[in-house]
Amino acid sequence: MESTGVSAELYAEVLQYYARQMQALDAGKVEEYAATFTEDAVFGHTPGREPARTRAGILSDLYQVRERFTVDPQQRRHMFTMVDVERLGDGRLRSTCYALVLTTRPGDGPELVRSCVVRDVLVREDGRLRNQERLVDHDGF
Amino acid sequence: MESTGVSAELYAEVLQYYARQMQALDAGKVEEYAATFTEDAVFGHTPGREPARTRAGILSDLYQVRERFTVDPQQRRHMFTMVDVERLGDGRLRSTCYALVLTTRPGDGPELVRSCVVRDVLVREDGRLRNQERLVDHDGF
Amino acid sequence: MESTGVSAELYAEVLQYYARQMQALDAGKVEEYAATFTEDAVFGHTPGREPARTRAGILSDLYQVRERFTVDPQQRRHMFTMVDVERLGDGRLRSTCYALVLTTRPGDGPELVRSCVVRDVLVREDGRLRNQERLVDHDGF
């Protein structure tokens, strides 16, 4: 418990960034989600698989996931909580949070899919936050 | 991802408003919950049913729900996450968030009830926030 | 709904305090978690059991829980949401929030463990927040 965290302005910006970013993904707007990553970003989303690299590579993985959901329609929700943000020395931000993934199939109730820790490196480009890195650790692996 | 959101002051106010509002509802304080809506508010809470209109109409719906829980006692919890707030042109706020509804019956563990998207229009009355509109989309419908 | 809450700076500090505090606990760093309590703190965590008293007493309880998990390995996650903070007259803070406890065993998906209301009294020591009191109400008891 070394740090006392970042300013309220920055913290609120990160929370709102996450809300928009993940609402876009859950709405199937994969291009909008991919655009929240930098061109050279690294996104490790699945255990035992190489991280996706570059925005184009990330988009390619997102299309694959979306394709899978066309044969098994469901509404996924990513809920980020317990967001901890700290400044790295170089102007970048380290953000570590919990992600709870839920899904609801038509006519059913919600189900828990997985519990993860999300480890982000955020940078500012053209005045707004973007993910330069996102490494997701899945609980139970 | 057009906007970068609202100020930290406003964002923290909305989060604390939601915490108090939903803790009141979950504690069975339906009058206190109803009082967070404006007199002319619209509250669409159930798929396939007309939204409740006016604070009195909302309170009437709340009494019905509370009545149901007297024969099937349970502790409901509404958890709002991923809150995205933006200013509408006219001074009102648009807030969009996820709601996870859980319930615990005596002697049991918690169960997931439903996953929703909450679409609010918030206004300021006498210095404090109120819901002028709340439209709840249930996942799976 | 009397109060409109605390300032954004203080609210963001509390949220970040909770994120660090509970991420430490969930990572098994029980000494770090215990150090977030004051020396004379009271921590009521289990229904029907006397609260732990003093930091040493809290640590003793934490070691017991950690011991249990060595024979039944699992990754617990504590997700605090709906955080409501208010100033007590004496400079201390009252914070009331929901805690959802989940666990994931190796090779399994996440399970809900319990839903709680956390009632904290927070104080500032050496410039940083600490728990002087934490009373946890478990739903369903």
Side-chain angles (χ1 to χ4, degrees):
Chain A
M1 307 282 291
E2 289 303 301
S3 160
T4 50
V6 297
S7 73
E9 280 304 327
L10 188 51
Y11 193 66
E13 190 183 352
V14 172
L15 294 188
Q16 293 180 84
Y17 170 72
Y18 282 154
R20 289 209 172 92
Q21 181 190 45
M22 302 313 291
Q23 288 189 16
L25 178 62
D26 293 336
K29 297 172 182 170
V30 294
E31 293 84 2
E32 194 174 320
Y33 179 72
T36 66
F37 288 83
T38 61
E39 279 292 354
D40 65 344
V42 175
F43 179 22
H45 48 77
T46 305
R49 180 172 164 164
E50 275 296 295
R53 284 173 196 281
T54 77
R55 197 182 285 162
I58 290 166
L59 196 50
S60 166
D61 279 14
L62 292 168
Y63 285 140
Q64 284 183 33
V65 173
R66 197 168 65 175
E67 187 63 27
R68 264 197 287 131
F69 290 161
T70 60
V71 295
D72 179 14
Q74 55 190 277
Q75 180 60 62
R76 293 234 158 172
R77 297 288 173 203
H78 291 77
M79 296 181 186
F80 285 15
T81 60
M82 307 306 267
V83 179
D84 179 30
V85 184
E86 62 186 324
R87 285 185 184 279
L88 298 174
D90 52 8
R92 301 184 302 164
L93 302 173
R94 156 74 58 193
S95 174
T96 309
C97 67
Y98 291 168
L100 186 61
V101 187
L102 295 110
T103 204
T104 307
R105 290 185 173 80
D108 274 354
E111 289 172 58
L112 298 174
V113 174
R114 77 176 65 93
S115 166
C116 308
V117 177
V118 174
R119 299 179 201 284
D120 279 349
V121 176
L122 304 177
V123 295
R124 195 174 295 281
E125 280 187 349
D126 307 325
R128 60 185 52 198
L129 296 174
R130 284 214 170 88
N131 271 78
Q132 191 176 64
E133 190 175 283
R134 168 162 289 174
L135 301 177
V136 183
D137 289 338
H138 295 216
D139 290 345
F141 277 84
Chain B
M1 307 281 290
E2 289 303 300
S3 161
T4 50
V6 297
S7 73
E9 281 303 327
L10 188 51
Y11 193 66
E13 189 183 352
V14 171
L15 294 189
Q16 293 180 85
Y17 170 72
Y18 282 153
R20 290 211 172 92
Q21 182 189 44
M22 302 313 292
Q23 288 189 15
L25 177 63
D26 293 337
K29 298 172 181 170
V30 294
E31 292 84 1
E32 193 173 321
Y33 179 71
T36 66
F37 287 82
T38 61
E39 279 293 354
D40 65 343
V42 175
F43 179 21
H45 49 77
T46 305
R49 180 173 165 164
E50 274 296 295
R53 285 173 196 281
T54 78
R55 197 182 284 162
I58 290 168
L59 196 50
S60 165
D61 279 14
L62 292 168
Y63 285 140
Q64 284 184 33
V65 173
R66 197 167 64 174
E67 186 64 27
R68 263 196 288 130
F69 290 161
T70 61
V71 296
D72 180 14
Q74 56 190 277
Q75 179 60 62
R76 292 234 158 173
R77 298 287 173 204
H78 291 78
M79 296 181 185
F80 285 15
T81 60
M82 307 307 265
V83 179
D84 179 30
V85 184
E86 61 187 324
R87 286 185 184 280
L88 298 175
D90 52 7
R92 300 185 303 165
L93 302 173
R94 157 73 60 193
S95 174
T96 310
C97 68
Y98 291 168
L100 186 61
V101 187
L102 294 110
T103 204
T104 306
R105 290 185 172 79
D108 273 354
E111 289 172 59
L112 297 174
V113 174
R114 78 176 66 92
S115 165
C116 308
V117 177
V118 174
R119 299 178 201 285
D120 280 350
V121 176
L122 304 176
V123 295
R124 195 174 294 280
E125 280 188 349
D126 307 325
R128 60 185 51 196
L129 296 175
R130 284 212 171 89
N131 271 78
Q132 191 176 66
E133 190 174 284
R134 168 162 289 174
L135 301 177
V136 183
D137 288 338
H138 295 216
D139 290 345
F141 277 83
Chain C
M1 307 280 291
E2 288 303 300
S3 160
T4 51
V6 297
S7 72
E9 281 303 328
L10 188 51
Y11 193 67
E13 190 184 351
V14 172
L15 294 189
Q16 293 181 84
Y17 170 72
Y18 282 153
R20 289 210 173 92
Q21 181 189 45
M22 302 314 293
Q23 287 189 16
L25 177 63
D26 293 336
K29 298 172 181 170
V30 294
E31 292 84 2
E32 193 174 322
Y33 179 72
T36 66
F37 287 83
T38 62
E39 279 293 354
D40 65 343
V42 175
F43 179 23
H45 48 78
T46 305
R49 178 172 166 163
E50 275 295 295
R53 285 173 196 280
T54 77
R55 198 183 283 162
I58 290 167
L59 196 51
S60 165
D61 280 14
L62 291 168
Y63 284 139
Q64 284 183 32
V65 173
R66 197 168 64 174
E67 187 63 29
R68 263 197 288 130
F69 290 161
T70 60
V71 296
D72 180 14
Q74 55 189 279
Q75 179 61 61
R76 292 233 158 173
R77 298 288 172 203
H78 292 78
M79 296 181 186
F80 286 14
T81 59
M82 306 308 264
V83 179
D84 179 29
V85 184
E86 61 187 325
R87 285 186 184 279
L88 299 174
D90 52 8
R92 300 185 302 163
L93 301 174
R94 157 73 60 193
S95 174
T96 310
C97 67
Y98 290 168
L100 187 61
V101 187
L102 294 110
T103 204
T104 306
R105 290 185 172 81
D108 273 354
E111 288 172 59
L112 297 174
V113 173
R114 77 177 66 92
S115 165
C116 309
V117 177
V118 174
R119 299 179 202 284
D120 280 349
V121 176
L122 304 177
V123 295
R124 195 173 295 279
E125 280 188 349
D126 306 325
R128 60 184 52 196
L129 296 176
R130 283 211 171 90
N131 271 79
Q132 190 176 66
E133 189 175 284
R134 169 161 289 173
L135 301 177
V136 183
D137 289 338
H138 294 216
D139 290 345
F141 278 83

